[in-house]
Each structure stands twice: as C-alpha cells, then as structure tokens.
Amino acid sequence: MLNVETRHAIDPATAATFDTTELREHFHVSNIFVPGEINLIYTHYDRMIVGGATPAEGPLELDHVAECGTASILDRREMTIVKLGGPGKVTADAEYDMVHGDMLYLGMGAGKITFSGEGRFYIISAPAHQTYPSRLIKIAEAANVTLGAAENCNERTIYQFVHPDVMKSCQLVVGMTKLQKGSIWNTMPAHVHDRRMEAYLYIDLDESARVIHLMGEPDETRHLVLKNEEGAISPPWSIHSGAGTSNYAFIWAMAGDNVDYKDVEMVSMETLK
C-alpha cells in the first residue's frame, strides 16, 4: 500500500503564528513506518520526498507516484535509502543487501524499487538532472569528522555518506550524526542555509526518550517534541538543532542549490530567542 501526503511550503511569518498542533501538522514527520505500507511526504521545499517502507509480511514495490508527474519515481529523481532495524534487501537496477545504518544511493533512471526483509527503510528523494551510478555505502566507507566536547554535552561524530567527499550526486547530501553517551546537543551553535532545505530523522532512542527539536527563525524559535524514528522538515529559513533526554543519532538530508556542506550562515548564541 502506498500513501502520499503533500506538504506545501510555509513562510517564516506564517510559521511564527502557529500553535503546537499547526507546527506538527506542517513540519513533524511521523507514522511513516507502518507494517505493510510505503508512506511518503512530498514537500514543496526543493521538492524533497521523505518517507518509509516497512515490508513486514512481504515485499513492497515503489514505482509510480502521481505527485512526481512521471511514470516511475526515479525517472527524474535520485534517492537515498537508509536501513533501520534488521537486515533487508532493495532491488532496483541491481540487488542490494542492507543492514542497520547502511545507505543506498539510487541514481536517476534506476527503475522501480522493491523493499523486502526485516526492519524499516527510510526514503529520501529529490529531483535530479543527471544520472550518477547507484552505490551502497557502509558506515566504514563514509567520510567522518568528530566535533564537540563532553563538557559541553555535544561530543558527536558526523558521518557523510552521500556527500561530495565520498561520491557524486545531483543535489542530495545525506549523512548520519551519532552523539556519544552523556551528550545531548546537536548543531548548536545553530545555523541556517537559505540555499537548501533539510530533513531530520531521529533514531536509536529508547521508547521513553525524547528529543526537543528546535526550529524557526533565529529570533523567533519554536520546538517539536519527537520520539524514536520521528523527524522534522526544516525549511531553508529555519534553524535545525536539538537536545535529547539521552544520547541519540539522527539522519540528516539536504537538497537545494548547493552541495557544499559548509555553505551555511552561522547564528550566534546572542541572536537566538
């Protein structure tokens, strides 16, 4: 079963008037991993799609998505698939066996996609202008950088999978950040990048744990309370930062004009409100 929800773009002045229910309606990513279903959110932020596939009792096929306007979803798009939970397989232009934390890049024209096996598959897709080779990337093959310090509660390692230092893509940049035990803060000091949007998915949290995801303009911040395997859609004008009740990991994905990971506008702590 395929379900697709469309999220239209919201400007910062309108977002500043939202209450909790409205914020969650427009920016919260939840209930994408339902057994036997593929659930997609088609956003009007750089036309990124985020979603999940959970095969459960049998394989699930992803092919025609009416919102994309093409016969098959990858006719004019590229995609990254992140494996969560038990081992599984993705079949597209080839067969790819995946385990928890693996990321699979599928280039434009890779064909219909079939998901099978255990666990869940997190899906990220953006429009593409050129075909690049599909590639399965293990965490050992990702570029990585360790930042922060234990005394600031933000000791973390950033793993860059679909990234210019690892491979070529059209506009998708995707990776994973893991916080060490005792660390809870990510992406603070905060930043924005007006040339590209971003999507977060928080993972590896206990059932009772939560992350407070910060969003909004730097001087007009808001927050979302998220549990394991929930996320946030972050418009280009918004900060994207968070603090958890324990350490966690999160998948970050960007699409837009620039694939330069460092193309950001830093926000000083004094600016935040």
PDB file of all heavy atoms in Angstrom, residues 188-209:
ATOM      1  N   MET A 188      24.555  22.964  17.614  1.00  0.00           N
ATOM      2  CA  MET A 188      24.493  24.164  18.447  1.00  0.00           C
ATOM      3  C   MET A 188      25.919  24.597  18.775  1.00  0.00           C
ATOM      4  O   MET A 188      26.681  23.774  19.303  1.00  0.00           O
ATOM      5  CB  MET A 188      23.705  23.894  19.732  1.00  0.00           C
ATOM      6  CG  MET A 188      23.529  25.113  20.631  1.00  0.00           C
ATOM      7  SD  MET A 188      22.576  26.421  19.862  1.00  0.00           S
ATOM      8  CE  MET A 188      20.898  25.791  20.033  1.00  0.00           C
ATOM      9  N   PRO A 189      26.361  25.818  18.392  1.00  0.00           N
ATOM     10  CA  PRO A 189      25.565  26.911  17.834  1.00  0.00           C
ATOM     11  C   PRO A 189      24.846  26.520  16.537  1.00  0.00           C
ATOM     12  O   PRO A 189      25.344  25.724  15.753  1.00  0.00           O
ATOM     13  CB  PRO A 189      26.590  28.008  17.583  1.00  0.00           C
ATOM     14  CG  PRO A 189      27.746  27.677  18.483  1.00  0.00           C
ATOM     15  CD  PRO A 189      27.778  26.193  18.551  1.00  0.00           C
ATOM     16  N   ALA A 190      23.696  27.128  16.348  1.00  0.00           N
ATOM     17  CA  ALA A 190      22.845  26.792  15.211  1.00  0.00           C
ATOM     18  C   ALA A 190      23.287  27.528  13.951  1.00  0.00           C
ATOM     19  O   ALA A 190      24.141  28.413  13.979  1.00  0.00           O
ATOM     20  CB  ALA A 190      21.398  27.135  15.542  1.00  0.00           C
ATOM     21  N   HIS A 191      22.689  27.119  12.847  1.00  0.00           N
ATOM     22  CA  HIS A 191      22.923  27.808  11.576  1.00  0.00           C
ATOM     23  C   HIS A 191      21.683  27.667  10.704  1.00  0.00           C
ATOM     24  O   HIS A 191      20.770  26.912  11.004  1.00  0.00           O
ATOM     25  CB  HIS A 191      24.163  27.260  10.849  1.00  0.00           C
ATOM     26  CG  HIS A 191      24.053  25.810  10.478  1.00  0.00           C
ATOM     27  ND1 HIS A 191      24.731  24.820  11.145  1.00  0.00           N
ATOM     28  CD2 HIS A 191      23.335  25.176   9.520  1.00  0.00           C
ATOM     29  CE1 HIS A 191      24.441  23.644  10.613  1.00  0.00           C
ATOM     30  NE2 HIS A 191      23.591  23.830   9.624  1.00  0.00           N
ATOM     31  N   VAL A 192      21.666  28.416   9.610  1.00  0.00           N
ATOM     32  CA  VAL A 192      20.664  28.247   8.554  1.00  0.00           C
ATOM     33  C   VAL A 192      21.421  28.119   7.237  1.00  0.00           C
ATOM     34  O   VAL A 192      22.598  28.482   7.136  1.00  0.00           O
ATOM     35  CB  VAL A 192      19.671  29.433   8.484  1.00  0.00           C
ATOM     36  CG1 VAL A 192      18.851  29.527   9.765  1.00  0.00           C
ATOM     37  CG2 VAL A 192      20.394  30.751   8.218  1.00  0.00           C
ATOM     38  N   HIS A 193      20.766  27.573   6.227  1.00  0.00           N
ATOM     39  CA  HIS A 193      21.337  27.582   4.866  1.00  0.00           C
ATOM     40  C   HIS A 193      20.201  27.830   3.894  1.00  0.00           C
ATOM     41  O   HIS A 193      19.428  26.932   3.561  1.00  0.00           O
ATOM     42  CB  HIS A 193      22.113  26.298   4.542  1.00  0.00           C
ATOM     43  CG  HIS A 193      21.660  25.047   5.218  1.00  0.00           C
ATOM     44  ND1 HIS A 193      20.491  24.395   4.907  1.00  0.00           N
ATOM     45  CD2 HIS A 193      22.238  24.314   6.199  1.00  0.00           C
ATOM     46  CE1 HIS A 193      20.374  23.306   5.637  1.00  0.00           C
ATOM     47  NE2 HIS A 193      21.408  23.241   6.446  1.00  0.00           N
ATOM     48  N   ASP A 194      20.112  29.092   3.473  1.00  0.00           N
ATOM     49  CA  ASP A 194      18.968  29.553   2.694  1.00  0.00           C
ATOM     50  C   ASP A 194      18.925  28.948   1.297  1.00  0.00           C
ATOM     51  O   ASP A 194      17.911  29.025   0.615  1.00  0.00           O
ATOM     52  CB  ASP A 194      18.990  31.080   2.591  1.00  0.00           C
ATOM     53  CG  ASP A 194      17.626  31.650   2.214  1.00  0.00           C
ATOM     54  OD1 ASP A 194      16.640  31.277   2.863  1.00  0.00           O
ATOM     55  OD2 ASP A 194      17.558  32.437   1.256  1.00  0.00           O
ATOM     56  N   ARG A 195      20.028  28.334   0.859  1.00  0.00           N
ATOM     57  CA  ARG A 195      20.072  27.747  -0.482  1.00  0.00           C
ATOM     58  C   ARG A 195      19.618  26.288  -0.509  1.00  0.00           C
ATOM     59  O   ARG A 195      19.613  25.661  -1.557  1.00  0.00           O
ATOM     60  CB  ARG A 195      21.491  27.865  -1.056  1.00  0.00           C
ATOM     61  CG  ARG A 195      21.826  29.275  -1.503  1.00  0.00           C
ATOM     62  CD  ARG A 195      23.309  29.498  -1.655  1.00  0.00           C
ATOM     63  NE  ARG A 195      23.989  29.517  -0.371  1.00  0.00           N
ATOM     64  CZ  ARG A 195      24.019  30.568   0.447  1.00  0.00           C
ATOM     65  NH1 ARG A 195      23.400  31.679   0.107  1.00  0.00           N
ATOM     66  NH2 ARG A 195      24.674  30.522   1.599  1.00  0.00           N
ATOM     67  N   ARG A 196      19.262  25.732   0.630  1.00  0.00           N
ATOM     68  CA  ARG A 196      18.836  24.333   0.653  1.00  0.00           C
ATOM     69  C   ARG A 196      18.024  24.043   1.912  1.00  0.00           C
ATOM     70  O   ARG A 196      18.249  24.645   2.956  1.00  0.00           O
ATOM     71  CB  ARG A 196      20.033  23.391   0.575  1.00  0.00           C
ATOM     72  CG  ARG A 196      21.089  23.646   1.613  1.00  0.00           C
ATOM     73  CD  ARG A 196      22.437  23.077   1.191  1.00  0.00           C
ATOM     74  NE  ARG A 196      23.447  23.613   2.069  1.00  0.00           N
ATOM     75  CZ  ARG A 196      24.437  22.903   2.607  1.00  0.00           C
ATOM     76  NH1 ARG A 196      24.545  21.618   2.347  1.00  0.00           N
ATOM     77  NH2 ARG A 196      25.312  23.460   3.386  1.00  0.00           N
ATOM     78  N   MET A 197      17.089  23.119   1.766  1.00  0.00           N
ATOM     79  CA  MET A 197      16.288  22.672   2.905  1.00  0.00           C
ATOM     80  C   MET A 197      16.961  21.450   3.521  1.00  0.00           C
ATOM     81  O   MET A 197      17.929  20.905   2.989  1.00  0.00           O
ATOM     82  CB  MET A 197      14.862  22.352   2.477  1.00  0.00           C
ATOM     83  CG  MET A 197      14.711  21.212   1.473  1.00  0.00           C
ATOM     84  SD  MET A 197      14.726  19.562   2.189  1.00  0.00           S
ATOM     85  CE  MET A 197      13.197  19.573   3.099  1.00  0.00           C
ATOM     86  N   GLU A 198      16.410  21.008   4.669  1.00  0.00           N
ATOM     87  CA  GLU A 198      16.977  19.835   5.328  1.00  0.00           C
ATOM     88  C   GLU A 198      15.852  19.046   6.008  1.00  0.00           C
ATOM     89  O   GLU A 198      14.829  19.613   6.384  1.00  0.00           O
ATOM     90  CB  GLU A 198      18.028  20.247   6.356  1.00  0.00           C
ATOM     91  CG  GLU A 198      18.805  19.085   6.945  1.00  0.00           C
ATOM     92  CD  GLU A 198      20.131  19.498   7.575  1.00  0.00           C
ATOM     93  OE1 GLU A 198      20.479  20.697   7.513  1.00  0.00           O
ATOM     94  OE2 GLU A 198      20.820  18.615   8.110  1.00  0.00           O
ATOM     95  N   ALA A 199      16.064  17.757   6.112  1.00  0.00           N
ATOM     96  CA  ALA A 199      15.131  16.896   6.845  1.00  0.00           C
ATOM     97  C   ALA A 199      15.916  16.086   7.855  1.00  0.00           C
ATOM     98  O   ALA A 199      17.021  15.598   7.560  1.00  0.00           O
ATOM     99  CB  ALA A 199      14.385  15.971   5.880  1.00  0.00           C
ATOM    100  N   TYR A 200      15.359  15.953   9.046  1.00  0.00           N
ATOM    101  CA  TYR A 200      15.957  15.182  10.130  1.00  0.00           C
ATOM    102  C   TYR A 200      15.093  13.948  10.415  1.00  0.00           C
ATOM    103  O   TYR A 200      13.864  14.016  10.353  1.00  0.00           O
ATOM    104  CB  TYR A 200      15.987  16.010  11.424  1.00  0.00           C
ATOM    105  CG  TYR A 200      17.202  16.859  11.663  1.00  0.00           C
ATOM    106  CD1 TYR A 200      17.885  17.488  10.631  1.00  0.00           C
ATOM    107  CD2 TYR A 200      17.667  17.057  12.966  1.00  0.00           C
ATOM    108  CE1 TYR A 200      18.989  18.278  10.889  1.00  0.00           C
ATOM    109  CE2 TYR A 200      18.770  17.855  13.227  1.00  0.00           C
ATOM    110  CZ  TYR A 200      19.423  18.462  12.185  1.00  0.00           C
ATOM    111  OH  TYR A 200      20.516  19.249  12.443  1.00  0.00           O
ATOM    112  N   LEU A 201      15.739  12.846  10.790  1.00  0.00           N
ATOM    113  CA  LEU A 201      15.047  11.698  11.374  1.00  0.00           C
ATOM    114  C   LEU A 201      15.863  11.239  12.564  1.00  0.00           C
ATOM    115  O   LEU A 201      17.030  10.845  12.410  1.00  0.00           O
ATOM    116  CB  LEU A 201      14.896  10.549  10.377  1.00  0.00           C
ATOM    117  CG  LEU A 201      14.073   9.371  10.925  1.00  0.00           C
ATOM    118  CD1 LEU A 201      12.579   9.707  10.899  1.00  0.00           C
ATOM    119  CD2 LEU A 201      14.337   8.084  10.158  1.00  0.00           C
ATOM    120  N   TYR A 202      15.281  11.297  13.762  1.00  0.00           N
ATOM    121  CA  TYR A 202      15.985  10.898  14.980  1.00  0.00           C
ATOM    122  C   TYR A 202      15.823   9.395  15.200  1.00  0.00           C
ATOM    123  O   TYR A 202      14.716   8.855  15.109  1.00  0.00           O
ATOM    124  CB  TYR A 202      15.445  11.674  16.177  1.00  0.00           C
ATOM    125  CG  TYR A 202      15.817  13.145  16.147  1.00  0.00           C
ATOM    126  CD1 TYR A 202      14.935  14.088  15.634  1.00  0.00           C
ATOM    127  CD2 TYR A 202      17.055  13.586  16.616  1.00  0.00           C
ATOM    128  CE1 TYR A 202      15.276  15.437  15.589  1.00  0.00           C
ATOM    129  CE2 TYR A 202      17.402  14.926  16.578  1.00  0.00           C
ATOM    130  CZ  TYR A 202      16.510  15.845  16.064  1.00  0.00           C
ATOM    131  OH  TYR A 202      16.850  17.177  16.025  1.00  0.00           O
ATOM    132  N   ILE A 203      16.921   8.713  15.492  1.00  0.00           N
ATOM    133  CA  ILE A 203      16.914   7.255  15.649  1.00  0.00           C
ATOM    134  C   ILE A 203      17.716   6.851  16.884  1.00  0.00           C
ATOM    135  O   ILE A 203      18.377   7.676  17.514  1.00  0.00           O
ATOM    136  CB  ILE A 203      17.485   6.547  14.397  1.00  0.00           C
ATOM    137  CG1 ILE A 203      18.949   6.942  14.167  1.00  0.00           C
ATOM    138  CG2 ILE A 203      16.650   6.876  13.162  1.00  0.00           C
ATOM    139  CD1 ILE A 203      19.636   6.163  13.050  1.00  0.00           C
ATOM    140  N   ASP A 204      17.651   5.556  17.195  1.00  0.00           N
ATOM    141  CA  ASP A 204      18.415   4.949  18.300  1.00  0.00           C
ATOM    142  C   ASP A 204      18.058   5.536  19.665  1.00  0.00           C
ATOM    143  O   ASP A 204      18.907   5.657  20.548  1.00  0.00           O
ATOM    144  CB  ASP A 204      19.932   5.065  18.050  1.00  0.00           C
ATOM    145  CG  ASP A 204      20.380   4.302  16.812  1.00  0.00           C
ATOM    146  OD1 ASP A 204      19.613   3.454  16.325  1.00  0.00           O
ATOM    147  OD2 ASP A 204      21.493   4.564  16.323  1.00  0.00           O
ATOM    148  N   LEU A 205      16.797   5.914  19.824  1.00  0.00           N
ATOM    149  CA  LEU A 205      16.287   6.398  21.102  1.00  0.00           C
ATOM    150  C   LEU A 205      15.476   5.300  21.788  1.00  0.00           C
ATOM    151  O   LEU A 205      14.770   4.534  21.122  1.00  0.00           O
ATOM    152  CB  LEU A 205      15.369   7.601  20.897  1.00  0.00           C
ATOM    153  CG  LEU A 205      16.008   8.969  20.670  1.00  0.00           C
ATOM    154  CD1 LEU A 205      14.991   9.897  20.030  1.00  0.00           C
ATOM    155  CD2 LEU A 205      16.521   9.545  21.976  1.00  0.00           C
ATOM    156  N   ASP A 206      15.551   5.213  23.111  1.00  0.00           N
ATOM    157  CA  ASP A 206      14.664   4.332  23.853  1.00  0.00           C
ATOM    158  C   ASP A 206      13.221   4.824  23.715  1.00  0.00           C
ATOM    159  O   ASP A 206      12.969   6.006  23.429  1.00  0.00           O
ATOM    160  CB  ASP A 206      15.053   4.300  25.332  1.00  0.00           C
ATOM    161  CG  ASP A 206      16.371   3.576  25.565  1.00  0.00           C
ATOM    162  OD1 ASP A 206      16.758   2.752  24.709  1.00  0.00           O
ATOM    163  OD2 ASP A 206      17.011   3.852  26.607  1.00  0.00           O
ATOM    164  N   GLU A 207      12.278   3.929  23.971  1.00  0.00           N
ATOM    165  CA  GLU A 207      10.867   4.260  23.793  1.00  0.00           C
ATOM    166  C   GLU A 207      10.443   5.455  24.642  1.00  0.00           C
ATOM    167  O   GLU A 207       9.607   6.270  24.227  1.00  0.00           O
ATOM    168  CB  GLU A 207      10.004   3.040  24.134  1.00  0.00           C
ATOM    169  CG  GLU A 207       8.517   3.242  23.925  1.00  0.00           C
ATOM    170  CD  GLU A 207       8.145   3.512  22.480  1.00  0.00           C
ATOM    171  OE1 GLU A 207       8.848   3.030  21.568  1.00  0.00           O
ATOM    172  OE2 GLU A 207       7.131   4.227  22.260  1.00  0.00           O
ATOM    173  N   SER A 208      11.003   5.580  25.838  1.00  0.00           N
ATOM    174  CA  SER A 208      10.595   6.662  26.735  1.00  0.00           C
ATOM    175  C   SER A 208      11.381   7.953  26.522  1.00  0.00           C
ATOM    176  O   SER A 208      11.063   8.980  27.124  1.00  0.00           O
ATOM    177  CB  SER A 208      10.755   6.217  28.196  1.00  0.00           C
ATOM    178  OG  SER A 208      12.124   5.920  28.465  1.00  0.00           O
ATOM    179  N   ALA A 209      12.400   7.922  25.682  1.00  0.00           N
ATOM    180  CA  ALA A 209      13.246   9.105  25.463  1.00  0.00           C
ATOM    181  C   ALA A 209      12.616  10.045  24.432  1.00  0.00           C
ATOM    182  O   ALA A 209      11.799   9.633  23.607  1.00  0.00           O
ATOM    183  CB  ALA A 209      14.634   8.680  25.010  1.00  0.00           C
TER     184      ALA A 209
END
